[in-house]
Amino acid sequence: IHNTLRDLGVSYLDLYLIHWPVASDAEDFVLSCTPGETLQPPIRETWEAMEELVQQGLVKSIGVSNFSAKKLGDLLTYAKIVPAVNQVEVNPHWRQDNLIQFCRSNGVHVTAYSPLGSPGYMDSNLLQDPIVKEISERLCRSPAQCLIRWAIQHGTSVIPKSTNPDRIKSNLDVLSWELPAKDYQALCSVEKQHRSFVADFFTGPNCPYKSAKDLWDDDDDV
């Protein structure tokens, strides 16, 4: 944490997350599983260390990312500080309504990543979804704006990704209008549901998570 603060030139962080419910060598982190039957260090040890950062005034809020309801529920049994945020994939193709409700009932805010799907990855380009395109054309809004607005009305904060200045500006223009109820409900009723980012590189026969179902705790969630 001290290296991070120094690199950023700040004295504290507003929000610090456990990015994945996995463990890896902090000096050589790669997107792969660490061999062993259990996570080392375990999530509890990591969370207690993060709570200590809050006590030291180095971090204002702490949270998690990519945690299933089960993993979050386990953490809540020993957490002295309830996670401020669970950052997970949420979009009309992967609504995660049950997880969002679980988080809401336990005082954990949900931040939605991949709100536009994952164009070019896992065949999940929501920008080309017929329902999204029809709504955007009728409302004279871009498909991206409609999807970001849906995420806001769905009760999440949202973090779209772009390096294009014009698209970034357009993506911010979503606060002065709303999707009509029928359009919001249409996006809430998309039958195609699948996770774009399975992250099965964190799994394997010699790893704590043997399969993606272990990693996500079978959260086939809509």
Side-chain angles (χ1 to χ4, degrees):
I1 185 70
H2 293 288
N3 290 340
T4 299
L5 294 174
R6 184 184 65 247
D7 291 344
L8 293 173
V10 297
S11 59
Y12 68 89
L13 298 179
D14 287 310
L15 179 63
Y16 201 38
L17 304 181
I18 298 178
H19 194 188
W20 288 95
V22 301
S24 184
D25 187 335
E27 298 299 321
D28 187 29
F29 180 75
V30 293
L31 292 177
S32 63
C33 72
T34 299
E37 288 302 311
T38 59
L39 291 176
Q40 295 298 327
I43 292 173
R44 179 169 186 164
E45 183 177 327
T46 301
W47 188 252
E48 289 174 347
M50 292 179 67
E51 289 178 324
E52 181 60 27
L53 296 178
V54 176
Q55 298 302 319
Q56 294 174 11
L58 298 175
V59 176
K60 295 297 183 182
S61 298
I62 52 178
V64 297
S65 181
N66 297 301
F67 270 52
S68 65
K70 180 180 185 301
K71 287 182 175 60
L72 184 56
D74 290 343
L75 187 151
L76 290 172
T77 63
Y78 53 76
K80 296 185 178 72
I81 299 176
V82 173
V85 172
N86 187 12
Q87 185 182 112
V88 294
E89 178 185 352
V90 178
N91 56 60
H93 281 182
W94 191 244
R95 290 190 301 275
Q96 303 232 63
D97 292 338
N98 294 335
L99 177 59
I100 291 173
Q101 182 55 45
F102 179 83
C103 289
R104 185 174 295 148
S105 65
N106 284 280
V108 180
H109 177 72
V110 174
T111 293
Y113 72 71
S114 294
L116 313 183
S118 297
Y121 183 80
M122 292 291 291
D123 190 30
S124 181
N125 190 351
L126 268 165
L127 300 176
Q128 299 300 319
D129 184 278
I131 297 175
V132 175
K133 291 178 70 175
E134 188 277 327
I135 291 172
S136 71
E137 290 170 4
R138 180 162 36 78
L139 298 181
C140 298
R141 297 285 181 176
S142 72
Q145 286 177 320
C146 291
L147 289 166
I148 294 167
R149 184 64 223 181
W150 175 86
I152 294 171
Q153 290 178 221
H154 205 55
T156 68
S157 54
V158 59
I159 46 175
K161 180 181 178 181
S162 179
T163 58
N164 182 299
D166 290 335
R167 288 177 184 163
I168 292 172
K169 182 178 179 181
S170 176
N171 289 346
L172 289 170
D173 184 19
V174 294
L175 300 179
S176 61
W177 58 279
E178 292 187 355
L179 291 172
K182 66 175 183 178
D183 294 329
Y184 171 74
Q185 289 301 327
L187 292 174
C188 287
S189 304
V190 175
E191 292 185 6
K192 178 182 179 182
Q193 292 292 302
H194 66 87
R195 190 187 303 280
S196 297
F197 201 55
V198 179
D200 51 4
F201 42 72
F202 286 133
T203 71
N206 299 317
C207 302
Y209 303 122
K210 308 303 181 188
S211 67
K213 288 187 176 183
D214 293 332
L215 176 63
W216 299 108
D217 298 306
D218 276 332
D219 271 3
D220 294 332
D221 184 0
V222 295

